Amino acid sequence: MTRLVAGIDVGGTKTRVRVETADGAEAADTTAPTAGWRGTSFEVKAELLAERLTALVAPLDPAGLAAVAVGAHGCDLEEESEELRSHLQRRLPGVVCVVVNDAELVAPAAGSPDAVGLIAGTGSVAVGRTPTGARVHAGGWGWVVGDEGGAAGIVREAVRASLRAVEDDSPDPLPGRLCRALAVGHPLDLPGRLVTEDPAAWSAHAALVFEAAADGSAVGERLVADAGDALADLVHRVVTRGARPTRVVAAGGVVVAQPALRDALRAGLDRRDLALPVDLLDAPPVLGALALARTALDRTVPSPRKALR
């Protein structure tokens, strides 16, 4: 029997599942859009994950699956992680199951469990651990009321700034660029586009804010500065709640693709007297899930008894 461990990274827009053998060899790896996740119960979420994992492991050695760790978008409370884990455990009897927030995959994927993991992708969230191991997090509230510094929050704030620019008769080019990108005739039509389309669709246009800023848009420059400061605030809130990180490890499409956002993040940390280096995650977060699965599996293996004399 081939012993297998699995890691699952459920992000806001895509889900990656990777299965490896006990010695670290890749057995299966797949990525697909995150579907059927938002607005469903944890029981349904567990069913979706179990079905997907079972289908992936079936051609391998189903009896060999020993542990699975899931980093799940939307599990912002430890109680939520535990609820999803318990539903998943019932569907995978005999398999060690671990569930954490998806941002918690960043630090172990980087090999720095004491770091603050910061995600700025479609949404934004920061997660750390206190010296006693308690999880502390900030953000992850969704685009309607949060996600500042993530793509959805940046586009939402760009819409607000564009409406303000129109009211002020500003010649700033950002409103026009945003209208063209979202295929509307006037900035007043932008809010309707946000509430009638999937956030993953319109948040994909966050890059145009950075492009406008680079081209001299004052509104764009302010939005980039505010986005970086919002991310710094997430890290600061995690630290004030007890985390003692040695660095920040950042992941997510926006922060990886936009050096200007990283510069604004570092400036925001400096303003808060947080002398923390900011490094980009150079490994896929799903590897953090695999690391957590292996750690959990090791803890379940009883230590060999000493021989009786």
Side-chain angles (χ1 to χ4, degrees):
M1 181 178 69
T2 303
R3 205 176 197 201
L4 302 172
V5 293
I8 304 178
D9 174 20
V10 185
T13 57
K14 61 183 179 180
T15 296
R16 183 171 179 179
V17 184
R18 183 178 173 92
V19 181
E20 293 184 353
T21 62
D23 58 3
E26 177 186 333
D29 196 333
T30 182
T31 301
T34 299
W37 192 261
R38 295 179 184 274
T40 60
S41 67
F42 286 111
E43 186 173 7
V44 171
K45 289 178 171 66
E47 186 68 32
L48 292 170
L49 293 176
E51 288 178 355
R52 187 164 182 179
L53 181 58
T54 300
L56 193 62
V57 172
L60 305 172
D61 185 356
L65 184 62
V68 56
V70 181
H73 175 75
C75 283
D76 300 317
L77 302 175
E78 297 212 49
E79 294 84 354
E80 293 173 325
S81 295
E82 174 55 26
E83 183 176 357
L84 180 57
R85 189 206 65 79
S86 64
H87 286 300
L88 187 62
Q89 187 69 75
R90 283 196 288 273
R91 287 161 177 78
L92 299 172
V95 178
V96 177
C97 295
V98 177
V99 175
V100 297
N101 181 272
D102 58 336
E104 288 192 76
L105 303 184
V106 173
S112 295
D114 59 344
V116 167
L118 175 67
I119 290 183
T122 302
S124 62
V125 64
V127 178
R129 291 277 175 178
T130 69
T132 62
R135 181 177 80 176
V136 288
H137 77 281
W141 297 342
W143 77 270
V144 176
V145 295
D147 283 348
E148 293 88 349
I154 289 170
V155 174
R156 183 196 63 230
E157 295 307 306
V159 168
R160 294 182 61 188
S162 294
L163 295 173
R164 181 66 177 267
V166 170
E167 288 181 349
D168 294 342
D169 293 323
S170 168
D172 195 279
L174 181 61
R177 291 191 181 198
L178 203 56
C179 287
R180 288 189 293 273
L182 295 179
V184 299
H186 192 277
L188 290 176
D189 298 322
L190 290 170
R193 180 55 57 92
L194 300 193
V195 298
T196 57
E197 285 193 0
D198 189 290
W202 50 257
S203 65
H205 298 292
L208 70 84
V209 175
F210 295 91
E211 294 166 3
D215 290 341
S217 164
V219 175
E221 290 175 358
R222 186 169 64 251
L223 287 168
V224 171
D226 288 347
D229 194 69
L231 295 179
D233 187 59
L234 292 180
V235 175
H236 182 252
R237 283 154 53 194
V238 168
V239 171
T240 58
R241 293 179 61 196
R244 295 294 178 265
T246 56
R247 64 172 175 151
V248 176
V249 179
V254 181
V255 74
V256 169
Q258 303 297 340
L261 181 60
R262 298 196 295 275
D263 290 342
L265 164 60
R266 292 186 179 100
L269 292 174
D270 288 343
R271 283 191 293 274
R272 291 165 174 80
D273 295 323
L274 291 176
L276 296 172
V278 177
D279 302 310
L280 291 180
L281 180 64
D282 58 2
V286 73
L287 296 187
L290 284 161
L292 294 177
R294 285 195 169 89
T295 297
L297 185 60
D298 289 344
R299 289 172 178 166
T300 65
V301 177
S303 301
R305 294 182 179 180
K306 294 181 179 180
L308 296 176
R309 295 185 181 274

